[in-house]
Amino acid sequence: MSVDRSAEDLLRELAPQVLGALVRRYGLFDACEDAVQESLVAATLQWPREGTPDNPRGWLVTVASRRLVDHVRSEQARRRREDRIALATPQSELLSRAADAASDADRDDSLALLFLCCHPALSSPSRIALTLRAVGGLTTAQIAAAFLVPEPTMAQRISRAKQTVRGSGTPLGMPDTADHAARLAEVLHVLYLIFNEGYATTDGDDLTAPALSGEAIRLARLLHRLLPRDGEVAGLLALMLLTEARRPARTGPAGDLVPLAEQDRRLWDGRLVDEGTDLLTEALPRGQVGPYQLQAAVAAVHDEAEHVEATDWPQILALYGLLEQAAPNPMVTLNRAVAVAMVHGPAAGLELLATLEDDRRMARHHRLLATRAHLLEMDGRHADAAECYRAAARRATGAPERRHLTARAARLAPARS
């Protein structure tokens, strides 16, 4: 038996709060995280039979604390840790009241937990995995399935990440003012990567992984609730919503990729478009505009166009110019080349694209070849375009994108002479 959707959502929301309460009280990040996962499993089994408790957070903290104590006491080789836990938490306290029933019981450490999971000592894949596990409440199996890796591989990655965090000695808490901006940028980047992997998977037979981008949006909503005045947090959430709005039109009946220019815009989610636009409209006047707000603004211009011919390409080109100044990146230049082609013609776009050929990050990337193929097709050079589409297909790692590029090449093949 499993919990219903509302109870599942509640567990996902409470998971970081419960972990924060335990880590703040006991330390021992790795052991606390395992105990929280066990409490979530217990809730999944018990709540359908017995009903959701009046204080679900307190119930989870109490169960997790008991599991933590039992775990520590069962490890004879770690007697010193057992003594530490036993001294900190009398058994009578665990039995008589919720373990979070202290004066700061309502304290939500979710933001501090996000910062901890995005610790600078961790690699990007480890940050993503640990964030999804500790803050997202996903099981190791769910994370492994989302990233198409064996569960033991993901378990090792998460275990190493927890050991790194524990070994760093970093306490649960907000970073110093001097480090806050840099650490927040890392958190935003992790959520951005999670969303992108869900919206356009880098491997496998499916084009998208909706559950993964949905989790990124949920975590971005959480971050926005905790930091409501931060423009870049609002910008990232707006970008996710404005992009997610197109998902229903992004794949055809057989699951094949449908490019933005060919999508049926009637299928776009207007509610998400409105929410993302409102967020962006509120955030932009507050102060300095950052990269996520600029990317969201580009997405908004696309989403506001009733049809592809109505797209305001000069405005998009101007926004990419600002974005390239704010956050220089070869992908930004790649997208700006498309905007240049739409405003000044494909030859001008190809000229800008040529500047990326010596960039090691892009030299063998399939999207550079795919974009060149698209601009060559716009320029009427169909034979060259078909060859570029085929080369891009050979380098694409995802099956749907590979099929799409191959089909583009085949469509142009009769024009070859």
Side-chain angles (χ1 to χ4, degrees):
M1 178 177 285
S2 61
V3 293
D4 60 30
R5 183 68 181 175
S6 61
E8 181 181 345
D9 291 342
L10 177 61
L11 289 174
R12 299 279 292 283
E13 179 180 347
L14 292 176
Q17 299 179 34
V18 174
L19 179 56
L22 262 68
V23 173
R24 174 164 33 90
R25 184 165 189 170
Y26 305 119
L28 308 174
F29 178 88
D30 50 348
C32 289
E33 201 280 325
D34 290 338
V36 170
Q37 289 292 323
E38 292 182 21
S39 74
L40 295 175
V41 172
T44 300
L45 296 174
Q46 294 183 38
W47 290 7
R49 297 195 307 265
E50 303 173 7
T52 303
D54 294 335
N55 180 10
R57 183 179 188 270
W59 189 97
L60 289 167
V61 173
T62 298
V63 171
S65 296
R66 289 173 177 167
R67 298 294 170 89
L68 178 62
V69 171
D70 290 343
H71 173 70
V72 172
R73 286 178 174 168
S74 69
E75 296 185 0
Q76 298 301 321
R78 300 186 180 183
R79 179 63 59 184
R80 293 165 67 182
R81 283 174 57 185
E82 175 188 357
D83 293 341
R84 179 181 172 189
I85 295 294
L87 289 172
T89 310
Q91 187 68 21
S92 59
E93 179 179 294
L94 287 176
L95 295 173
S96 63
R97 63 189 180 94
D100 65 341
S103 58
D104 60 352
D106 293 331
R107 176 174 172 179
D108 187 349
D109 287 304
S110 298
L111 181 58
L113 195 60
L114 265 172
F115 278 104
L116 191 62
C117 290
C118 297
H119 196 283
L122 296 173
S123 66
S124 181
S126 294
R127 292 178 189 175
I128 292 172
L130 193 58
T131 298
L132 289 173
R133 164 93 178 193
V135 188
L138 297 183
T139 65
T140 302
Q142 288 172 322
I143 302 170
F147 285 93
L148 302 174
V149 300
E151 185 175 348
T153 300
M154 184 58 69
Q156 290 177 356
R157 181 178 300 171
I158 292 173
S159 177
R160 286 195 297 267
K162 290 191 290 186
Q163 291 171 10
T164 299
V165 170
R166 179 187 170 201
S168 72
T170 304
L172 181 69
M174 298 300 293
D176 295 336
T177 303
D179 296 333
H180 187 277
R183 294 290 298 280
L184 178 58
E186 292 167 354
V187 171
L188 293 174
H189 186 58
V190 165
L191 298 185
Y192 179 72
L193 292 175
I194 293 171
F195 177 82
N196 283 346
E197 181 62 27
Y199 193 73
T201 56
T202 54
D203 200 356
D205 295 329
D206 296 323
L207 178 66
T208 67
L212 205 54
S213 38
E215 178 61 17
I217 291 174
R218 189 185 73 83
L219 292 175
R221 287 188 191 279
L222 167 65
L223 190 59
H224 179 57
R225 188 174 75 238
L226 297 171
L227 297 173
R229 301 294 299 173
D230 190 287
E232 278 294 80
V233 172
L236 176 60
L237 178 56
L239 173 61
M240 290 180 180
L241 296 173
L242 291 164
T243 306
E244 181 69 14
R246 306 173 200 150
R247 183 187 293 276
R250 193 160 180 263
T251 53
D256 293 328
L257 185 153
V258 180
L260 177 62
E262 301 173 15
Q263 290 177 13
D264 182 352
R265 300 186 178 210
R266 295 170 298 179
L267 299 177
W268 288 359
D269 190 326
R271 180 184 58 83
L272 293 181
V273 171
D274 290 343
E275 184 183 356
T277 302
D278 289 346
L279 270 170
L280 187 61
T281 302
E282 182 182 351
L284 285 175
R286 289 181 189 158
Q288 185 175 0
V289 177
Y292 291 115
Q293 293 170 77
L294 289 170
Q295 290 181 71
V298 171
V301 174
H302 280 297
D303 288 8
E304 289 168 356
E306 294 184 1
H307 49 82
V308 65
E309 290 80 11
T311 305
D312 189 345
W313 282 106
Q315 184 178 359
I316 290 176
L317 178 57
L319 288 168
Y320 274 126
L322 293 173
L323 183 57
E324 201 163 35
Q325 293 177 29
N329 183 289
M331 279 297 179
V332 175
T333 304
L334 188 77
N335 289 320
R336 188 165 73 87
V338 175
V340 166
M342 298 303 294
V343 175
H344 300 298
L350 286 165
E351 184 178 350
L352 176 57
L353 209 61
T355 64
L356 295 174
E357 292 177 359
D358 294 329
D359 190 306
R360 292 183 179 179
R361 294 167 292 180
M362 295 296 296
R364 295 188 57 81
H365 201 293
H366 76 280
R367 287 183 183 169
L368 176 60
L369 287 167
T371 303
R372 182 185 294 122
H374 173 60
L375 298 189
L376 287 169
E377 183 179 357
M378 285 179 60
D379 202 31
R381 299 161 60 181
H382 292 168
D384 292 338
E387 183 58 37
C388 274
Y389 276 130
R390 283 191 288 270
R394 289 193 292 269
R395 294 182 185 176
T397 55
E401 196 164 12
R402 192 160 51 245
R403 289 195 300 269
H404 169 74
L405 294 168
T406 301
R408 288 278 177 177
R411 186 191 63 193
L412 295 175
R416 298 180 67 193
S417 57

